[in-house]
Amino acid sequence: MRAKKKNKKRMDNMTKLLIPLAVAINMLAYTVLYSTTMLILGDSIGTILVGAICGPGPGAIVGLLSNLVNVIKNPVMIVMMPLNIGFGVVSGYLTKRKIFTSLPKTLLCTPIYGFIGGWLSGSIIFLAMGGDFWGNLASVFVGIPLYNAGVPKYFAMAIGQLLFDCIDKVVCLLLVYLIIRSLPDRFLIKLPYGKYVTRKQYSEEDIDFGEE
């Protein structure tokens, strides 16, 4: 029993170490990817990753902290906090279905993340803008043309945001999958949700916590 508690504590400590690292990944990915593509945000990579290997709770914390960092630079981003938290929570629940053990399964989840990051976030900003478009690429290339074609303004905006965010999430999910596959099983199975992302099944006896 004492060994189990010790093991659990070590797993918790590993999760605590991964949380700030994941926040840093979000910030770095956004800086590199968005500045070079003007299309891929990449700021949810760390959130999705921790949600997948550590569970919905730690994933939500990464989303929360990442949002707070963004709020320092842009206070308006506070309204996006529930969505950033949502990425981590959804990842934790999806990983239990062994989603991240297969690339096709991982990429098929793109619309789920796209709905959160595109449709829902777009709806929030749409309301904040007084029911109007704003000058991002999704509005310019999809939303406004759809509206001019007769689609109601809200749905034109939401469809544009959804499509463009799905592009971002395809890249994010691909990178998360590649990161998970690059990590050794002996490391993954020590994490709370690591057993859901390894292709081989391990028993508790297989896990070596390095006890002296």
Side-chain angles (χ1 to χ4, degrees):
M1 181 67 72
R2 187 175 302 172
K4 263 191 173 182
K5 287 183 179 178
K6 189 176 181 182
N7 291 349
K8 187 174 180 182
K9 184 177 180 181
R10 290 192 180 186
M11 285 191 287
D12 289 343
N13 287 338
M14 292 176 71
T15 301
K16 290 173 185 175
L17 288 173
L18 287 174
I19 288 174
L21 178 61
V23 174
I25 289 174
N26 284 343
M27 299 301 108
L28 179 61
Y30 175 81
T31 301
V32 174
L33 293 175
Y34 188 69
S35 63
T36 55
T37 67
M38 298 302 291
L39 179 63
I40 310 300
L41 298 176
D43 59 352
S44 57
I45 294 173
T47 307
I48 296 172
L49 176 63
V50 168
I53 62 179
C54 297
I61 292 172
V62 174
L64 171 66
L65 295 177
S66 298
N67 184 264
L68 290 177
V69 173
N70 289 330
V71 167
I72 295 174
K73 298 181 289 184
N74 184 3
V76 177
M77 293 302 293
I78 191 70
V79 298
M80 298 300 176
M81 185 178 291
L83 307 182
N84 291 317
I85 292 173
F87 290 136
V89 173
V90 167
S91 298
Y93 284 107
L94 287 177
T95 198
K96 275 195 165 186
R97 297 181 176 274
K98 294 282 188 176
I99 296 298
F100 294 99
T101 58
S102 161
L103 181 57
K105 286 182 181 179
T106 301
L107 297 182
L108 280 173
C109 293
T110 297
I112 298 174
Y113 291 96
F115 179 78
I116 297 172
W119 193 292
L120 294 183
S121 68
S123 299
I124 292 172
I125 299 176
F126 185 75
L127 294 173
M129 293 286 290
D132 205 353
F133 295 105
W134 63 102
N136 63 354
L137 293 177
S139 295
V140 172
F141 289 103
V142 180
I144 294 174
L146 284 177
Y147 176 64
N148 291 336
V151 177
K153 186 180 285 187
Y154 168 75
F155 289 104
M157 174 282 307
I159 292 170
Q161 293 301 127
L162 174 64
L163 292 176
F164 268 67
D165 199 73
C166 280
I167 297 172
D168 170 59
K169 293 307 179 290
V170 164
V171 175
C172 290
L173 289 170
L174 174 62
L175 291 174
V176 167
Y177 175 82
L178 293 176
I179 292 170
I180 291 174
R181 294 277 64 84
S182 70
L183 297 172
D185 284 1
R186 63 184 298 177
F187 171 74
L188 290 172
I189 59 177
K190 295 177 184 179
L191 299 170
Y193 274 44
K195 61 184 178 182
Y196 298 120
V197 297
T198 56
R199 289 170 175 167
K200 180 181 174 183
Q201 296 299 310
Y202 293 89
S203 64
E204 238 178 78
E205 290 74 22
D206 295 323
I207 305 177
D208 175 22
F209 290 92
E211 290 183 306
E212 298 177 357

